Amino acid sequence: DQQVKQNSPSLSVQEGRISILNCDYTNSMFDYFLWYKKYPAEGPTFLISISSIKDKNEDGRFTVFLNKSAKHLSLHIVPSQPGDSAVYFCAASWAGTASKLTFGTGTRLQVTL
Amino acid sequence: NAGVTQTPKFRVLKTGQSMTLLCAQDMNHEYMYWYRQDPGMGLRLIHYSVGEGTTAKGEVPDGYNVSRLKKQNFLLGLESAAPSQTSVYFCASSYSTVHPNIQYFGAGTRLSVL
């Protein structure tokens, strides 16, 4: 049972345009959501997060939106840069679980020139 | 500033062999985690530890054992390796014992079991 889903395995965007990566979840107990970025042969690195008490969190070119009623979150990257080409994982956690993360399957973003 | 260090980076085993993967963190983090990443499956939690001397099972614990004898180290053992354990293994750690917290990952160990 995949509690966190990233239905788009890959996404290609031109440099300078907006990249939108989507994530859906099924467990209503999740109250904290994170995005990780992963380059080949490296470990995932934390990018941005959002608490369920918010609907938006912004950090430079990265913005995460949360729609609790739809159990959906998205990561917007504006403007996209070639260095953003990586695999992006959505993850979720909830209190009382040792902050264990449940990961989605990832979306590979390619930013083209 | 090492962060989370995993050794070895690569390993090839024959079916039935045993090995131990070492994870070391220098950030004084309380929590440590072992994940495996397989194609199309994302990262799945194998075992985790909420402090020195404690361990707990994650989502896919079968075939693995762990130990946390020192706060900074978390060991993952395979007693009798199977081809199904071919994967990339990631260790992570997090500081806060209060939810929520952010996990920091090592670079991974790529394991092939023939």
Side-chain angles (χ1 to χ4, degrees), chain A residues 31-32 36 38 41-44 46 89 93-95 98-101 103-105, chain B residues 31 33 35 37 40-43 45 48 50 90 99-103 105-107:
Chain A
D31 62 359
Y32 193 65
Y36 280 83
K38 185 183 179 305
E42 294 184 10
F46 170 73
F89 289 99
S93 70
W94 55 280
S99 293
K100 292 182 291 182
L101 295 179
F103 282 86
T105 53
Chain B
Y31 289 8
Y33 311 81
Y35 293 88
Q37 183 193 10
M41 302 280 293
L43 282 80
L45 183 64
Y48 65 100
V50 299
F90 290 102
H99 176 79
N101 64 72
I102 295 166
Q103 294 183 20
F105 284 80

Side-chain angles (χ1 to χ4, degrees), chain B residues 4-76:
Chain B
V4 179
T5 303
Q6 292 183 233
T7 52
K9 290 184 170 23
F10 303 95
R11 186 71 186 267
V12 178
L13 289 179
K14 294 181 179 179
T15 297
Q17 287 185 318
S18 63
M19 77 163 295
T20 300
L21 283 67
L22 173 63
C23 177
Q25 52 94 2
D26 62 2
M27 298 175 283
N28 199 34
H29 284 178
E30 289 292 334
Y31 289 8
M32 296 187 75
Y33 311 81
W34 274 107
Y35 293 88
R36 59 178 288 173
Q37 183 193 10
D38 302 294
M41 302 280 293
L43 282 80
R44 293 181 293 169
L45 183 64
I46 305 171
H47 286 280
Y48 65 100
S49 168
V50 299
E52 182 178 318
T54 71
T55 63
K57 294 181 180 179
E59 182 186 356
V60 288
D62 293 343
Y64 305 95
N65 57 76
V66 288
S67 65
R68 182 109 181 261
L69 299 180
K70 293 183 179 180
K71 185 177 182 179
Q72 63 268 34
N73 295 336
F74 195 28
L75 280 65
L76 177 71

Side-chain angles (χ1 to χ4, degrees), chain A residues 66-78:
Chain A
L66 175 62
N67 183 333
K68 283 187 295 182
S69 61
K71 293 190 178 68
H72 176 83
L73 63 155
S74 61
L75 174 67
H76 293 211
I77 306 173
V78 184

